[in-house]
Amino acid sequence: MSDDGALPPDDVLAGRLRKGDESAFEQVLDAWSASMLRLARSFVSTDASAEEVVQETWLAVIRGIEGFEGRAALKTWVFRILVNTAKKRGMKESRTLPFGSLTFDDEGPTVDPSRFRPAGDPYPGHWLADRKPQRWSDPESAAERAEIGRVVAAALAELPDRNRIVITLRDLEGYSSDEVCELLDISHGNQRVILHRSRAAVRVKLEHYFDAERGIHRGL
Amino acid sequence: MDCDEFVELVTLFLDGALDAATEQRFVDHLSLCDGCDAYLDQFRRTIQTVGELPPESLSAPARDKLLSAFRSWQR
């Protein structure tokens, strides 16, 4: 999992939390709440509701830390409580997430088929010369990096909820495939299909951004 | 392997979840196809960029409330 470098190992951390070490609680609260908010937001209908889910989760963590047995990572344990709390809240708001089965939206190619040579061509299924992916430039400034961040944030916001949940857990929070399957109770196959489609959709938005940039640089 | 098959296997490849024979075909194709090499690179960049999104944060009142809940629970 990502960016927890500053936190002590789980057993130390859990020990401090049990002893009521407020600075330890402050550390995990600040390290994980942003991710938790983002994840909760995919299950419930408003920002306020997401914040309540995160609060409720932390209260459950405070009450339950005695019972944390260290079988899973502390962060995974906390996130499991979050997902359960968020799911319950989402159900109350009549938002259901059908993780179990794939739908029509999960089928079909993730790259526009018109970019490949058609059947009958000597090289069917290969990139057409003028529609091949072009190398992306590295961002040249902080402003450009921020712009790319906005493109990605917007792309995530447009994804169906469960796609956003899966890509958030895998690529933002750095959970493994096994962890995500366990957390969301979905099969490896479905998890990968959803993840691949989500990444491909975000890539398309980035490609549009970089294509437009190239156009600007060429003075088009 | 054709490019249109390659692009659908990228996530499986990155997860190390392709069977040995398919992985070999994937890598062989990669070594020959500039377009797919660029595609894989773009996919990696996409994943990396998602990972760099700036965090939101808990509102100050919510944070204070939780800190005081922690304090009083431990008493």
PDB file of all heavy atoms in Angstrom, chain A residues 39-53 56 85-97 161:
ATOM      1  N   LEU A  39     -12.936   6.944  -1.273  1.00  0.00           N
ATOM      2  CA  LEU A  39     -13.543   5.633  -1.477  1.00  0.00           C
ATOM      3  C   LEU A  39     -15.015   5.659  -1.057  1.00  0.00           C
ATOM      4  O   LEU A  39     -15.887   5.187  -1.780  1.00  0.00           O
ATOM      5  CB  LEU A  39     -12.761   4.605  -0.662  1.00  0.00           C
ATOM      6  CG  LEU A  39     -13.099   3.149  -0.878  1.00  0.00           C
ATOM      7  CD1 LEU A  39     -12.961   2.777  -2.349  1.00  0.00           C
ATOM      8  CD2 LEU A  39     -12.165   2.286  -0.029  1.00  0.00           C
ATOM      9  N   ALA A  40     -15.287   6.248   0.106  1.00  0.00           N
ATOM     10  CA  ALA A  40     -16.657   6.301   0.613  1.00  0.00           C
ATOM     11  C   ALA A  40     -17.571   7.025  -0.379  1.00  0.00           C
ATOM     12  O   ALA A  40     -18.715   6.648  -0.587  1.00  0.00           O
ATOM     13  CB  ALA A  40     -16.698   7.002   1.968  1.00  0.00           C
ATOM     14  N   ARG A  41     -17.007   8.054  -1.010  1.00  0.00           N
ATOM     15  CA  ARG A  41     -17.787   8.870  -1.936  1.00  0.00           C
ATOM     16  C   ARG A  41     -18.377   8.057  -3.088  1.00  0.00           C
ATOM     17  O   ARG A  41     -19.408   8.417  -3.655  1.00  0.00           O
ATOM     18  CB  ARG A  41     -16.904   9.992  -2.474  1.00  0.00           C
ATOM     19  CG  ARG A  41     -17.638  11.011  -3.290  1.00  0.00           C
ATOM     20  CD  ARG A  41     -18.637  11.768  -2.417  1.00  0.00           C
ATOM     21  NE  ARG A  41     -19.453  12.683  -3.198  1.00  0.00           N
ATOM     22  CZ  ARG A  41     -20.523  12.319  -3.894  1.00  0.00           C
ATOM     23  NH1 ARG A  41     -20.896  11.044  -3.925  1.00  0.00           N
ATOM     24  NH2 ARG A  41     -21.214  13.197  -4.576  1.00  0.00           N
ATOM     25  N   SER A  42     -17.716   6.954  -3.417  1.00  0.00           N
ATOM     26  CA  SER A  42     -18.211   6.114  -4.506  1.00  0.00           C
ATOM     27  C   SER A  42     -19.409   5.270  -4.098  1.00  0.00           C
ATOM     28  O   SER A  42     -20.142   4.778  -4.940  1.00  0.00           O
ATOM     29  CB  SER A  42     -17.102   5.183  -5.007  1.00  0.00           C
ATOM     30  OG  SER A  42     -16.066   5.929  -5.573  1.00  0.00           O
ATOM     31  N   PHE A  43     -19.592   5.102  -2.797  1.00  0.00           N
ATOM     32  CA  PHE A  43     -20.688   4.255  -2.346  1.00  0.00           C
ATOM     33  C   PHE A  43     -21.941   5.053  -2.000  1.00  0.00           C
ATOM     34  O   PHE A  43     -23.035   4.523  -1.999  1.00  0.00           O
ATOM     35  CB  PHE A  43     -20.277   3.467  -1.089  1.00  0.00           C
ATOM     36  CG  PHE A  43     -19.312   2.347  -1.347  1.00  0.00           C
ATOM     37  CD1 PHE A  43     -17.944   2.571  -1.329  1.00  0.00           C
ATOM     38  CD2 PHE A  43     -19.769   1.061  -1.592  1.00  0.00           C
ATOM     39  CE1 PHE A  43     -17.053   1.529  -1.549  1.00  0.00           C
ATOM     40  CE2 PHE A  43     -18.885   0.019  -1.816  1.00  0.00           C
ATOM     41  CZ  PHE A  43     -17.522   0.256  -1.794  1.00  0.00           C
ATOM     42  N   VAL A  44     -21.759   6.311  -1.630  1.00  0.00           N
ATOM     43  CA  VAL A  44     -22.895   7.111  -1.150  1.00  0.00           C
ATOM     44  C   VAL A  44     -23.141   8.294  -2.071  1.00  0.00           C
ATOM     45  O   VAL A  44     -22.336   8.569  -2.963  1.00  0.00           O
ATOM     46  CB  VAL A  44     -22.652   7.590   0.296  1.00  0.00           C
ATOM     47  CG1 VAL A  44     -22.465   6.406   1.222  1.00  0.00           C
ATOM     48  CG2 VAL A  44     -21.445   8.521   0.358  1.00  0.00           C
ATOM     49  N   SER A  45     -24.256   9.008  -1.815  1.00  0.00           N
ATOM     50  CA  SER A  45     -24.676   9.967  -2.827  1.00  0.00           C
ATOM     51  C   SER A  45     -24.165  11.395  -2.632  1.00  0.00           C
ATOM     52  O   SER A  45     -24.193  12.184  -3.564  1.00  0.00           O
ATOM     53  CB  SER A  45     -26.200   9.966  -2.930  1.00  0.00           C
ATOM     54  OG  SER A  45     -26.751  10.104  -1.644  1.00  0.00           O
ATOM     55  N   THR A  46     -23.685  11.741  -1.441  1.00  0.00           N
ATOM     56  CA  THR A  46     -23.207  13.125  -1.264  1.00  0.00           C
ATOM     57  C   THR A  46     -21.870  13.160  -0.528  1.00  0.00           C
ATOM     58  O   THR A  46     -21.497  12.205   0.166  1.00  0.00           O
ATOM     59  CB  THR A  46     -24.209  13.966  -0.433  1.00  0.00           C
ATOM     60  OG1 THR A  46     -24.270  13.414   0.897  1.00  0.00           O
ATOM     61  CG2 THR A  46     -25.596  13.974  -1.040  1.00  0.00           C
ATOM     62  N   ASP A  47     -21.175  14.297  -0.649  1.00  0.00           N
ATOM     63  CA  ASP A  47     -19.921  14.486   0.075  1.00  0.00           C
ATOM     64  C   ASP A  47     -20.156  14.418   1.582  1.00  0.00           C
ATOM     65  O   ASP A  47     -19.359  13.850   2.326  1.00  0.00           O
ATOM     66  CB  ASP A  47     -19.302  15.849  -0.276  1.00  0.00           C
ATOM     67  CG  ASP A  47     -18.767  15.884  -1.697  1.00  0.00           C
ATOM     68  OD1 ASP A  47     -18.542  14.793  -2.269  1.00  0.00           O
ATOM     69  OD2 ASP A  47     -18.584  16.991  -2.239  1.00  0.00           O
ATOM     70  N   ALA A  48     -21.264  15.016   2.014  1.00  0.00           N
ATOM     71  CA  ALA A  48     -21.567  15.038   3.447  1.00  0.00           C
ATOM     72  C   ALA A  48     -21.761  13.620   3.967  1.00  0.00           C
ATOM     73  O   ALA A  48     -21.282  13.253   5.047  1.00  0.00           O
ATOM     74  CB  ALA A  48     -22.822  15.870   3.703  1.00  0.00           C
ATOM     75  N   SER A  49     -22.450  12.830   3.175  1.00  0.00           N
ATOM     76  CA  SER A  49     -22.708  11.447   3.549  1.00  0.00           C
ATOM     77  C   SER A  49     -21.387  10.665   3.622  1.00  0.00           C
ATOM     78  O   SER A  49     -21.176   9.847   4.526  1.00  0.00           O
ATOM     79  CB  SER A  49     -23.659  10.840   2.518  1.00  0.00           C
ATOM     80  OG  SER A  49     -24.129   9.611   2.924  1.00  0.00           O
ATOM     81  N   ALA A  50     -20.491  10.942   2.685  1.00  0.00           N
ATOM     82  CA  ALA A  50     -19.180  10.280   2.683  1.00  0.00           C
ATOM     83  C   ALA A  50     -18.404  10.644   3.941  1.00  0.00           C
ATOM     84  O   ALA A  50     -17.770   9.789   4.572  1.00  0.00           O
ATOM     85  CB  ALA A  50     -18.391  10.664   1.435  1.00  0.00           C
ATOM     86  N   GLU A  51     -18.478  11.907   4.318  1.00  0.00           N
ATOM     87  CA  GLU A  51     -17.756  12.323   5.527  1.00  0.00           C
ATOM     88  C   GLU A  51     -18.328  11.636   6.770  1.00  0.00           C
ATOM     89  O   GLU A  51     -17.591  11.228   7.662  1.00  0.00           O
ATOM     90  CB  GLU A  51     -17.786  13.849   5.684  1.00  0.00           C
ATOM     91  CG  GLU A  51     -16.987  14.306   6.895  1.00  0.00           C
ATOM     92  CD  GLU A  51     -16.495  15.741   6.803  1.00  0.00           C
ATOM     93  OE1 GLU A  51     -15.619  16.014   5.965  1.00  0.00           O
ATOM     94  OE2 GLU A  51     -16.985  16.576   7.571  1.00  0.00           O
ATOM     95  N   GLU A  52     -19.647  11.468   6.780  1.00  0.00           N
ATOM     96  CA  GLU A  52     -20.261  10.756   7.914  1.00  0.00           C
ATOM     97  C   GLU A  52     -19.805   9.299   7.962  1.00  0.00           C
ATOM     98  O   GLU A  52     -19.583   8.760   9.041  1.00  0.00           O
ATOM     99  CB  GLU A  52     -21.784  10.826   7.812  1.00  0.00           C
ATOM    100  CG  GLU A  52     -22.340  12.162   8.301  1.00  0.00           C
ATOM    101  CD  GLU A  52     -23.795  12.367   7.933  1.00  0.00           C
ATOM    102  OE1 GLU A  52     -24.544  11.353   7.869  1.00  0.00           O
ATOM    103  OE2 GLU A  52     -24.168  13.518   7.678  1.00  0.00           O
ATOM    104  N   VAL A  53     -19.687   8.692   6.795  1.00  0.00           N
ATOM    105  CA  VAL A  53     -19.214   7.299   6.752  1.00  0.00           C
ATOM    106  C   VAL A  53     -17.795   7.214   7.323  1.00  0.00           C
ATOM    107  O   VAL A  53     -17.478   6.323   8.110  1.00  0.00           O
ATOM    108  CB  VAL A  53     -19.247   6.750   5.299  1.00  0.00           C
ATOM    109  CG1 VAL A  53     -18.446   5.455   5.185  1.00  0.00           C
ATOM    110  CG2 VAL A  53     -20.681   6.528   4.842  1.00  0.00           C
ATOM    111  N   GLU A  56     -17.956   7.675  11.069  1.00  0.00           N
ATOM    112  CA  GLU A  56     -18.508   6.475  11.693  1.00  0.00           C
ATOM    113  C   GLU A  56     -17.459   5.362  11.729  1.00  0.00           C
ATOM    114  O   GLU A  56     -17.341   4.628  12.701  1.00  0.00           O
ATOM    115  CB  GLU A  56     -19.729   6.031  10.867  1.00  0.00           C
ATOM    116  CG  GLU A  56     -20.782   5.277  11.633  1.00  0.00           C
ATOM    117  CD  GLU A  56     -21.948   4.904  10.719  1.00  0.00           C
ATOM    118  OE1 GLU A  56     -22.524   5.840  10.091  1.00  0.00           O
ATOM    119  OE2 GLU A  56     -22.248   3.718  10.595  1.00  0.00           O
ATOM    120  N   THR A  85     -19.287  -0.114   6.250  1.00  0.00           N
ATOM    121  CA  THR A  85     -20.109   1.027   6.674  1.00  0.00           C
ATOM    122  C   THR A  85     -20.684   1.755   5.460  1.00  0.00           C
ATOM    123  O   THR A  85     -21.868   2.103   5.425  1.00  0.00           O
ATOM    124  CB  THR A  85     -19.246   2.015   7.501  1.00  0.00           C
ATOM    125  OG1 THR A  85     -18.567   1.288   8.524  1.00  0.00           O
ATOM    126  CG2 THR A  85     -20.103   3.099   8.133  1.00  0.00           C
ATOM    127  N   ALA A  86     -19.843   1.952   4.455  1.00  0.00           N
ATOM    128  CA  ALA A  86     -20.261   2.685   3.250  1.00  0.00           C
ATOM    129  C   ALA A  86     -21.310   1.905   2.474  1.00  0.00           C
ATOM    130  O   ALA A  86     -22.275   2.471   1.950  1.00  0.00           O
ATOM    131  CB  ALA A  86     -19.046   2.979   2.376  1.00  0.00           C
ATOM    132  N   LYS A  87     -21.130   0.584   2.413  1.00  0.00           N
ATOM    133  CA  LYS A  87     -22.102  -0.256   1.702  1.00  0.00           C
ATOM    134  C   LYS A  87     -23.464  -0.160   2.365  1.00  0.00           C
ATOM    135  O   LYS A  87     -24.483  -0.019   1.696  1.00  0.00           O
ATOM    136  CB  LYS A  87     -21.648  -1.714   1.718  1.00  0.00           C
ATOM    137  CG  LYS A  87     -20.793  -2.142   0.548  1.00  0.00           C
ATOM    138  CD  LYS A  87     -20.632  -3.649   0.595  1.00  0.00           C
ATOM    139  CE  LYS A  87     -19.526  -4.114  -0.326  1.00  0.00           C
ATOM    140  NZ  LYS A  87     -19.069  -5.475   0.026  1.00  0.00           N
ATOM    141  N   LYS A  88     -23.463  -0.258   3.710  1.00  0.00           N
ATOM    142  CA  LYS A  88     -24.721  -0.179   4.456  1.00  0.00           C
ATOM    143  C   LYS A  88     -25.406   1.161   4.185  1.00  0.00           C
ATOM    144  O   LYS A  88     -26.597   1.219   3.921  1.00  0.00           O
ATOM    145  CB  LYS A  88     -24.464  -0.347   5.958  1.00  0.00           C
ATOM    146  CG  LYS A  88     -24.852  -1.728   6.463  1.00  0.00           C
ATOM    147  CD  LYS A  88     -24.629  -1.844   7.958  1.00  0.00           C
ATOM    148  CE  LYS A  88     -23.372  -2.662   8.249  1.00  0.00           C
ATOM    149  NZ  LYS A  88     -22.846  -2.503   9.609  1.00  0.00           N
ATOM    150  N   ARG A  89     -24.619   2.220   4.255  1.00  0.00           N
ATOM    151  CA  ARG A  89     -25.159   3.558   4.023  1.00  0.00           C
ATOM    152  C   ARG A  89     -25.673   3.679   2.582  1.00  0.00           C
ATOM    153  O   ARG A  89     -26.743   4.214   2.325  1.00  0.00           O
ATOM    154  CB  ARG A  89     -24.063   4.584   4.309  1.00  0.00           C
ATOM    155  CG  ARG A  89     -24.387   5.995   3.882  1.00  0.00           C
ATOM    156  CD  ARG A  89     -25.457   6.603   4.766  1.00  0.00           C
ATOM    157  NE  ARG A  89     -24.932   6.846   6.080  1.00  0.00           N
ATOM    158  CZ  ARG A  89     -24.784   8.054   6.632  1.00  0.00           C
ATOM    159  NH1 ARG A  89     -25.136   9.120   5.946  1.00  0.00           N
ATOM    160  NH2 ARG A  89     -24.305   8.188   7.836  1.00  0.00           N
ATOM    161  N   GLY A  90     -24.914   3.136   1.652  1.00  0.00           N
ATOM    162  CA  GLY A  90     -25.314   3.188   0.253  1.00  0.00           C
ATOM    163  C   GLY A  90     -26.634   2.463   0.011  1.00  0.00           C
ATOM    164  O   GLY A  90     -27.478   2.915  -0.757  1.00  0.00           O
ATOM    165  N   MET A  91     -26.780   1.340   0.713  1.00  0.00           N
ATOM    166  CA  MET A  91     -28.026   0.579   0.559  1.00  0.00           C
ATOM    167  C   MET A  91     -29.212   1.379   1.070  1.00  0.00           C
ATOM    168  O   MET A  91     -30.267   1.397   0.464  1.00  0.00           O
ATOM    169  CB  MET A  91     -27.922  -0.757   1.295  1.00  0.00           C
ATOM    170  CG  MET A  91     -27.587  -1.901   0.363  1.00  0.00           C
ATOM    171  SD  MET A  91     -27.629  -3.482   1.217  1.00  0.00           S
ATOM    172  CE  MET A  91     -26.031  -3.513   1.989  1.00  0.00           C
ATOM    173  N   LYS A  92     -28.993   2.053   2.214  1.00  0.00           N
ATOM    174  CA  LYS A  92     -30.042   2.906   2.770  1.00  0.00           C
ATOM    175  C   LYS A  92     -30.441   3.988   1.770  1.00  0.00           C
ATOM    176  O   LYS A  92     -31.576   4.401   1.700  1.00  0.00           O
ATOM    177  CB  LYS A  92     -29.555   3.558   4.069  1.00  0.00           C
ATOM    178  CG  LYS A  92     -30.266   3.012   5.303  1.00  0.00           C
ATOM    179  CD  LYS A  92     -29.925   3.842   6.531  1.00  0.00           C
ATOM    180  CE  LYS A  92     -28.931   3.106   7.420  1.00  0.00           C
ATOM    181  NZ  LYS A  92     -28.352   3.947   8.474  1.00  0.00           N
ATOM    182  N   GLU A  93     -29.456   4.443   1.006  1.00  0.00           N
ATOM    183  CA  GLU A  93     -29.730   5.472   0.002  1.00  0.00           C
ATOM    184  C   GLU A  93     -30.157   4.849  -1.322  1.00  0.00           C
ATOM    185  O   GLU A  93     -30.183   5.514  -2.352  1.00  0.00           O
ATOM    186  CB  GLU A  93     -28.475   6.326  -0.204  1.00  0.00           C
ATOM    187  CG  GLU A  93     -28.078   7.126   1.021  1.00  0.00           C
ATOM    188  CD  GLU A  93     -26.742   7.846   0.842  1.00  0.00           C
ATOM    189  OE1 GLU A  93     -26.102   7.656  -0.219  1.00  0.00           O
ATOM    190  OE2 GLU A  93     -26.355   8.582   1.751  1.00  0.00           O
ATOM    191  N   SER A  94     -30.437   3.546  -1.266  1.00  0.00           N
ATOM    192  CA  SER A  94     -30.865   2.801  -2.450  1.00  0.00           C
ATOM    193  C   SER A  94     -29.839   2.823  -3.574  1.00  0.00           C
ATOM    194  O   SER A  94     -30.189   2.849  -4.745  1.00  0.00           O
ATOM    195  CB  SER A  94     -32.189   3.339  -2.995  1.00  0.00           C
ATOM    196  OG  SER A  94     -33.138   3.353  -1.987  1.00  0.00           O
ATOM    197  N   ARG A  95     -28.578   2.868  -3.208  1.00  0.00           N
ATOM    198  CA  ARG A  95     -27.546   2.716  -4.233  1.00  0.00           C
ATOM    199  C   ARG A  95     -26.967   1.320  -4.083  1.00  0.00           C
ATOM    200  O   ARG A  95     -26.369   1.004  -3.074  1.00  0.00           O
ATOM    201  CB  ARG A  95     -26.446   3.753  -4.036  1.00  0.00           C
ATOM    202  CG  ARG A  95     -26.857   5.141  -4.440  1.00  0.00           C
ATOM    203  CD  ARG A  95     -25.902   6.142  -3.884  1.00  0.00           C
ATOM    204  NE  ARG A  95     -24.553   5.980  -4.426  1.00  0.00           N
ATOM    205  CZ  ARG A  95     -24.043   6.764  -5.364  1.00  0.00           C
ATOM    206  NH1 ARG A  95     -24.755   7.734  -5.877  1.00  0.00           N
ATOM    207  NH2 ARG A  95     -22.819   6.594  -5.792  1.00  0.00           N
ATOM    208  N   THR A  96     -27.193   0.499  -5.064  1.00  0.00           N
ATOM    209  CA  THR A  96     -26.628  -0.843  -4.972  1.00  0.00           C
ATOM    210  C   THR A  96     -25.522  -0.998  -5.989  1.00  0.00           C
ATOM    211  O   THR A  96     -25.558  -0.423  -7.076  1.00  0.00           O
ATOM    212  CB  THR A  96     -27.690  -1.930  -5.227  1.00  0.00           C
ATOM    213  OG1 THR A  96     -28.369  -1.581  -6.434  1.00  0.00           O
ATOM    214  CG2 THR A  96     -28.677  -2.020  -4.088  1.00  0.00           C
ATOM    215  N   LEU A  97     -24.514  -1.722  -5.612  1.00  0.00           N
ATOM    216  CA  LEU A  97     -23.366  -1.911  -6.495  1.00  0.00           C
ATOM    217  C   LEU A  97     -23.248  -3.381  -6.853  1.00  0.00           C
ATOM    218  O   LEU A  97     -22.824  -4.189  -6.053  1.00  0.00           O
ATOM    219  CB  LEU A  97     -22.095  -1.449  -5.772  1.00  0.00           C
ATOM    220  CG  LEU A  97     -22.065   0.040  -5.467  1.00  0.00           C
ATOM    221  CD1 LEU A  97     -20.994   0.345  -4.450  1.00  0.00           C
ATOM    222  CD2 LEU A  97     -21.833   0.838  -6.738  1.00  0.00           C
ATOM    223  N   ASP A 161     -19.737   3.933 -10.764  1.00  0.00           N
ATOM    224  CA  ASP A 161     -19.273   3.832  -9.377  1.00  0.00           C
ATOM    225  C   ASP A 161     -18.321   2.682  -9.127  1.00  0.00           C
ATOM    226  O   ASP A 161     -17.258   2.850  -8.551  1.00  0.00           O
ATOM    227  CB  ASP A 161     -20.476   3.669  -8.434  1.00  0.00           C
ATOM    228  CG  ASP A 161     -21.282   4.955  -8.342  1.00  0.00           C
ATOM    229  OD1 ASP A 161     -20.678   6.037  -8.492  1.00  0.00           O
ATOM    230  OD2 ASP A 161     -22.499   4.874  -8.129  1.00  0.00           O
TER     231      ASP A 161
END
